[in-house]
Amino acid sequence: MPQKRAKAAKTPSVADQKDSVDSRMGILEAAKTLFAAKGYEGTSVRDIVNEANVNVSMVSYYFGGKKGLFLELFREGTHELVELTKTHLKTPEQRNAETEKTFTQQKFEQALKSYCVAFLKWHRNDMLLAKIAMREMDKESELFLELMQSIFIKNLNLHISFFKYAQDRKIVSTEFEPIQLASMLYGL
């Protein structure tokens, strides 16, 4: 008796892969627009899929549901922020021995200025994400507080490390704690 051949798994075509990426990005963009306009609680999954023109199951497929979608918006949106912070406000671990010797008041001020410019550009480039953050912070949303713990605290710690480094080198006064200085900068 001849054995049946197992069907080979179909490899998605380039077009299918592009459609998949487009669907995912469409969902993210629709969610961002609606969350900014109506808030997390005021936006339904149905609203999002109607705006993105995709099947309702796609939200679960890509993000595991509305909460996962909301968290992914911030993960993607803040990844760039964390990277620009690392670039401009180098932590002690990122500095080499040569940088250590040349870290002066002038270099400190240049780093701070370049960070502020980059931060403001990042903020301007994603005003909807900033609007969502402000809306949810104002409502003291539990979901947003969860985000604060997992994402924003990482960036705040980079700021604290930068100011502590500058204080250790007597470039910044110890009149304020590094966390106070970081919070002022973070509140830009």
Side-chain angles (χ1 to χ4, degrees), residues 40 67 70-71 74 132-133 135-153:
Y40 177 79
K67 179 181 177 181
F70 186 81
L71 294 172
F74 279 91
I132 295 166
R135 175 189 287 277
E136 297 303 316
M137 201 178 328
D138 189 48
K139 290 184 177 184
E140 298 179 8
S141 151
E142 281 189 39
L143 183 56
F144 192 73
L145 293 175
E146 182 181 323
L147 276 169
M148 292 296 287
Q149 293 297 317
S150 65
I151 296 171
F152 293 108
I153 297 300

Side-chain angles (χ1 to χ4, degrees), residues 49-100:
V49 298
N50 286 342
E51 181 76 19
N53 198 25
V54 295
N55 185 292
V56 71
S57 65
M58 300 302 274
V59 172
S60 292
Y61 176 76
Y62 289 119
F63 308 103
K66 181 176 151 183
K67 179 181 177 181
L69 172 56
F70 186 81
L71 294 172
E72 184 63 17
L73 270 176
F74 279 91
R75 270 188 217 102
E76 285 191 5
T78 57
H79 174 75
E80 183 181 346
L81 175 62
V82 169
E83 290 307 309
L84 78 85
T85 303
K86 286 178 181 177
T87 299
H88 295 278
L89 308 182
K90 291 183 173 31
T91 63
E93 298 79 33
Q94 294 173 297
R95 298 182 184 281
N96 58 34
E98 187 59 37
T99 314
E100 182 80 21

Side-chain angles (χ1 to χ4, degrees), residues 99-117:
T99 314
E100 182 80 21
K101 294 174 191 169
T102 61
F103 191 71
T104 62
Q105 178 75 30
Q106 183 180 6
K107 297 266 182 165
F108 169 79
E109 290 172 6
Q110 287 172 344
L112 205 51
K113 182 178 178 181
S114 70
Y115 171 76
C116 288
V117 168

Side-chain angles (χ1 to χ4, degrees), residues 7-27:
K7 286 187 177 181
K10 183 180 175 190
T11 304
S13 70
V14 172
D16 289 343
Q17 291 173 357
K18 183 182 180 314
D19 287 347
S20 177
V21 168
D22 289 347
S23 294
R24 185 178 186 284
M25 292 306 297
I27 293 168

